[in-house]
Amino acid sequence: MNDFEEMTMPIDGSAGLGLTNEQLAEEVSHVSTPDRLPTPFGEFEFFDGVPKPESVQSIFDGLDLVRGITAFLNAVPGASLVAMRRGLRVAGVSSPDTIGYTDPRCTSTPIFLTPNTETTYGVTFLDLKAWGPTVIEAPPQSLGVVDDFWFRYVADMGIAGPDKGAGGKFLFLPPGYEGERPDGYYIYDCPTFTNFVVIRALQGVEAIKQSRIYRLSDAGTAPENTFVNIGEQVFNTVHANDFSFFEEIAQLIAEEPPGSLDPERAGTLASLGIVHGKPFAPDERLRGILDNAARIGAAMARATLYAARAPESFRWEGSSWKNGFVGGSYEFLNEGARNLDARTLFHYAATVITPAMAHAQVGAGSAYAYTAEDADGALLDGAQTYSLTIPANAPAKNFWAIDIYDTQTRSLLQSAQYPAKSSLGGELRAEDDGSYVLWFAPTAPAGKESNWIPTLPGKSWWPLLRIYGPLESWFDYTWRLPEITRSGAH
């Protein structure tokens, strides 16, 4: 038998003999719907496969709820940047030539997805609709990223970019641009008019202030940029988890050209009345369904983040420590399929996407691990006392740090200005074997003040380990974090 014959053989039965009456009845049972169908949305009634009038609205309500939940989980990246822009505007970053920065570091005051307290960042948004082609001059020895308004990668600038850290001029062009493409720039065509800019300069604030952003038409005569310290300002950059989420997405869809989002996600949103060029005006019925959908979607996103079920989510076998970036693809692709849970997990907890995150190398870049439970599998309680041992010879060429976050907002826990400890801090006390024992509690255990991060009674919390310049023992898994232990636990 050749391959063609094998491929064309009938799957079941004998060729040419047809089905018996019993076989036909069995086949019909597989393609039919019963007259009464229990579902999570209630019982649906049919007459010989046709929905009865009294069930039709319930069926469509269920469909709208499913579409709303799907829209929430798949549109988190876009809503995140709508909220980010709104929050930065409150903080005074309202134009591309205004750059917000954290001096000296980000504190727990802003509501901001998992910022670190170790490095200085500069942030702003490009507005290619208002400005047209826009230039960013990246400072030397910087790490800069530009993502579009759907949080898709556009460009790296600096060490991970084409300038290799030498600094350079980057030109960003709006959707549909057909004008000049001058020499002397690294040029990028952007799918969206609005683009998120993050600049991390290794030399700190003064280096960030070397950044320049201006219209291409102003090249050579560009005005100075404005820099606003946002590190201790009160503002919120986290997207909604209720009906307001869909208003955030509707704003994005209204601003960006049709075709800037993939057809599947755009189709899901369109089925809910979120369409470019049309007002988003859901009636009371749909508004209530979408509010419910957002809350259920948020619950699912939180389970995906805090209680991940995919085996590849876990950093070490048998450990609760998890990877924040799952799968090794900045587009969350695996053999042509999108890992939807990985995308939701990452964007529900973090900001900025770049291929550099997916390809950390020995001695370069950053690596991450987090958990939300203790050694007994119990959720972390801010009223309790816990300890975590950082084993000796941590695999960090540069340094390691632990920050703790609020489980509701995924922002720095507001228990201290800097709820974190770092091997750079100088105040940490080491054990005789070179390890460090960190303590988490509302008040410092006696004699442990130097290694203590405060927590808040009545609130949960979760820690994130950052390894800067991960070494071989991180990649070969020979160095491993133990579980967090609650004092007095059995």
Side-chain angles (χ1 to χ4, degrees):
M1 181 183 298
N2 60 39
D3 290 343
F4 178 77
E5 290 174 326
E6 184 176 352
M7 291 170 61
T8 56
M9 283 185 66
I11 296 174
D12 292 304
S14 302
L17 298 181
L19 299 173
T20 67
N21 288 339
E22 291 78 10
Q23 289 171 329
L24 177 60
E26 177 70 16
E27 291 294 321
V28 170
S29 73
H30 291 309
V31 301
S32 300
T33 294
D35 286 346
R36 291 183 178 274
L37 181 66
T39 79
F41 313 107
E43 186 173 78
F44 298 158
E45 294 188 20
F46 297 82
F47 173 65
D48 200 23
V50 181
K52 288 187 175 181
E54 57 267 29
S55 287
V56 168
Q57 190 58 57
S58 295
I59 293 171
F60 282 132
D61 287 350
L63 177 59
D64 289 340
L65 179 61
V66 169
R67 291 263 173 82
I69 295 169
T70 300
F72 181 95
L73 294 172
N74 290 343
V76 159
S80 184
L81 279 188
V82 172
M84 175 72 74
R85 185 181 64 177
R86 182 178 62 240
L88 290 180
R89 284 175 171 174
V90 169
V93 183
S94 56
S95 176
D97 56 0
T98 300
I99 299 173
Y101 66 97
T102 55
D103 184 9
R105 299 168 289 160
C106 190
T107 70
S108 63
T109 302
I111 304 300
F112 204 116
L113 289 177
T114 54
N116 73 58
T117 59
E118 290 75 52
T119 56
T120 301
Y121 284 89
V123 290
T124 192
F125 278 88
L126 302 185
D127 184 350
L128 303 180
K129 181 179 289 185
W131 274 34
T134 299
V135 178
I136 300 177
E137 293 187 14
Q141 293 302 300
S142 63
L143 291 164
V145 179
V146 175
D147 293 324
D148 79 1
F149 211 15
W150 281 105
F151 237 137
R152 297 171 299 201
Y153 170 74
V154 175
D156 279 300
M157 305 178 293
I159 293 171
D163 60 305
K164 306 299 183 185
K169 296 181 179 181
F170 294 77
L171 176 58
F172 297 92
L173 304 176
Y177 179 77
E178 296 181 353
E180 64 171 325
R181 293 172 178 262
D183 294 333
Y185 298 89
Y186 301 107
I187 299 178
Y188 296 87
D189 292 280
C190 300
T192 57
F193 291 110
T194 296
N195 294 268
F196 182 45
V197 180
V198 176
I199 301 170
R200 184 175 72 175
L202 301 185
Q203 285 77 34
V205 172
E206 292 309 312
I208 283 179
K209 289 185 175 181
Q210 296 176 28
S211 305
R212 301 285 306 286
I213 300 178
Y214 51 87
R215 296 174 175 85
L216 177 63
S217 58
D218 288 339
T221 60
E224 292 295 319
N225 288 127
T226 300
F227 294 88
V228 177
N229 185 10
I230 62 174
E232 298 183 19
Q233 287 202 52
V234 179
F235 58 97
N236 171 40
T237 68
V238 178
H239 65 79
N241 281 197
D242 57 15
F243 172 77
S244 304
F245 175 93
F246 294 98
E247 294 178 312
E248 292 167 341
I249 291 299
Q251 182 179 356
L252 196 168
I253 289 291
E255 291 184 16
E256 298 299 343
S260 63
L261 181 62
D262 58 274
E264 289 298 321
R265 284 195 288 178
T268 300
L269 295 170
S271 74
L272 302 172
I274 302 176
V275 182
H276 180 82
K278 297 181 179 180
F280 176 52
D283 58 20
E284 185 177 352
R285 178 198 70 88
L286 183 55
R287 186 184 182 97
I289 288 172
L290 293 182
D291 183 68
N292 197 22
R295 295 177 190 277
I296 294 171
M300 294 173 176
R302 289 176 184 277
T304 300
L305 172 62
Y306 298 127
R309 61 180 177 176
E312 61 268 26
S313 290
F314 294 89
R315 172 65 197 167
W316 298 281
E317 185 176 354
S319 171
S320 75
W321 290 93
K322 303 169 187 68
N323 299 306
F325 196 91
V326 178
S329 164
Y330 72 95
E331 295 179 296
F332 308 101
L333 292 174
N334 181 20
E335 296 184 352
R338 183 103 48 208
N339 187 331
L340 300 178
D341 286 352
R343 181 175 65 187
T344 299
L345 183 162
F346 179 83
H347 285 291
Y348 199 71
T351 55
V352 186
I353 195 76
T354 165
M357 289 180 167
H359 300 291
Q361 299 176 355
V362 175
S366 306
Y368 308 87
Y370 73 96
T371 188
E373 60 195 76
D374 67 15
D376 296 321
L379 302 181
L380 299 172
D381 182 347
Q384 303 297 320
T385 297
Y386 301 87
S387 62
L388 170 65
T389 298
I390 308 296
N393 303 313
K397 178 182 177 181
N398 300 318
F399 66 98
W400 59 261
I402 289 265
D403 294 77
I404 67 172
Y405 297 95
D406 184 313
T407 49
Q408 284 283 16
T409 65
R410 291 90 71 206
S411 304
L412 288 165
L413 188 69
Q414 294 181 330
S415 59
Q417 187 178 31
Y418 302 113
K421 290 296 177 184
S422 163
S423 60
L424 281 183
E427 79 279 5
L428 283 180
R429 190 181 71 186
E431 301 297 306
D432 292 341
D433 63 356
S435 65
Y436 294 88
V437 179
L438 303 184
W439 293 87
F440 310 88
T443 57
K448 310 297 184 183
E449 290 80 3
S450 63
N451 291 31
W452 165 63
I453 302 176
T455 57
L456 294 173
K459 288 200 65 63
S460 188
W461 57 277
W462 58 291
L464 176 61
L465 169 73
R466 289 178 172 89
I467 300 287
Y468 293 92
L471 299 177
E472 187 63 38
S473 60
W474 177 264
F475 294 97
D476 66 15
Y477 299 94
T478 55
W479 185 89
R480 172 174 173 152
L481 269 182
E483 299 298 298
I484 294 174
T485 302
R486 182 168 67 88
S487 294
H490 298 288

